[in-house]
Amino acid sequence: MNKRESRLIVVSAPSGVGKSTVCGRLRALHDDVAVSISYTTRDLRGGERDGVHYHFVDDARFDAMIASNSFLEWAPVHARRYGTGRQDCESLLAEGKDVLFDIDVQGGAQIKAQREDAMLVFLVPPTVSEWVRRLRDRGTDAEDVIALRLRNAIAEMEQGKTYEYLLINDDLAAVVRELDELRQAEQPRKRKTSGSMKHLEELLAKARLELT
Ligand code: 5GP
């Protein structure tokens, strides 16, 4: 049987919605799934390892990578820079893997502009209170960083409306299954479910009231 072309699947969500967990879980289930490891200029957090969670680089190295066109996409996020290595991505696709990109909406748009076949998936938190609780529970960020992330997250959720697929992340196993179904579909459905869109609209209205 001919294997279908490898897929590029962008998974975006505001901080604290669990996209790294969802991507990691899907990769753990399938040998033919890889998660792209980004480059970042932000500091390493407790529990993270260089080359596993990110390639941690300084500003000079990041500048050099921009100059040599080494990024498939890059963007400033939360006052730091993050980028996807072009060669890293090509290598994974050449190995026949479907590649998940845990990146922000700016990066998602850049990948879609270059690869029309890339799938854009946005994870929506179940409720505003649950999402803020998850963000605080991580305990890895100072309060001012959390505040910046919350402000950015509202703008980010607004961008989520432009994505092709919206998945509500209220049950980890269920959302991993839904993402896997999209990944494996011969012809993924080309629409957002209206329930998810309504959920996102309501959540945004509540988030604006509570967080601004
Ligand atoms: P964190 O610092 O919490 O690991 O990530 C912050 C944000 O940067 C998240 O929304 C994450 O998805 C995004 N991000 C991580 N890597 C990349 C990347 O390579 N490109 C872009 N555009 N965003 C990224």
Side-chain angles (χ1 to χ4, degrees):
M1 196 179 87
N2 286 338
K3 194 190 176 293
R4 61 168 170 73
E5 291 253 312
S6 294
R7 289 207 159 118
L8 294 87
I9 305 167
V10 173
V11 181
S12 298
S15 295
V17 181
K19 57 190 178 307
S20 309
T21 309
V22 170
C23 291
R25 191 64 73 94
L26 187 58
R27 179 196 43 206
L29 289 173
H30 300 281
D31 288 342
D32 62 343
V33 173
V35 182
S36 164
I37 302 172
S38 297
Y39 294 77
T40 183
T41 60
R42 84 150 159 74
D43 293 337
L44 198 131
R45 292 193 195 119
E48 287 181 332
R49 278 193 292 145
D50 188 23
V52 175
H53 297 90
Y54 283 103
H55 300 289
F56 293 92
V57 296
D58 59 15
D59 276 310
R61 169 97 194 276
F62 204 93
D63 286 340
M65 289 186 72
I66 295 172
S68 59
N69 195 27
S70 301
F71 288 123
L72 181 59
E73 62 75 34
W74 73 270
V77 185
H78 310 315
R80 292 285 181 270
R81 292 184 293 175
Y82 295 77
T84 302
R86 189 183 297 282
Q87 188 54 52
D88 301 342
C89 170
E90 291 305 332
S91 303
L92 292 170
L93 292 171
E95 286 171 29
K97 308 235 188 211
D98 289 331
V99 185
L100 303 177
F101 300 89
D102 167 353
I103 64 176
D104 86 324
V105 290
Q106 306 171 79
Q110 290 179 52
I111 289 192
K112 188 73 181 175
Q114 297 170 72
R115 296 281 307 238
E116 217 286 312
D117 55 330
M119 299 167 70
L120 298 184
V121 180
F122 195 79
L123 298 186
V124 185
T127 62
V128 173
S129 51
E130 169 67 13
W131 166 49
V132 174
R133 189 189 63 72
R134 281 190 211 166
L135 198 55
R136 291 192 188 284
D137 273 4
R138 282 211 305 210
T140 49
D141 295 316
E143 278 297 314
D144 58 334
V145 177
I146 292 176
L148 173 67
R149 281 169 186 252
L150 289 175
R151 282 196 302 278
N152 288 348
I154 292 184
E156 183 127 1
M157 282 217 276
E158 195 66 54
Q159 288 291 316
K161 291 192 214 163
T162 66
Y163 268 43
E164 296 162 311
Y165 307 99
L166 301 179
L167 303 181
I168 300 172
N169 188 19
D170 52 358
D171 171 348
L172 180 61
V175 85
V176 169
R177 197 167 52 243
E178 285 178 72
L179 184 58
D180 198 24
E181 280 167 11
L182 282 177
R183 176 183 81 91
Q184 304 218 38
E186 280 301 317
Q187 290 202 306
R189 61 190 159 80
K190 274 284 172 201
R191 63 186 172 81
K192 306 169 208 214
T193 58
S194 57
S196 305
M197 186 53 124
K198 184 159 179 284
H199 179 89
L200 177 58
E201 297 275 14
E202 288 171 1
L203 198 106
L204 260 171
K206 191 143 193 278
R208 277 198 209 94
L209 273 180
E210 288 188 17
L211 304 174
T212 53

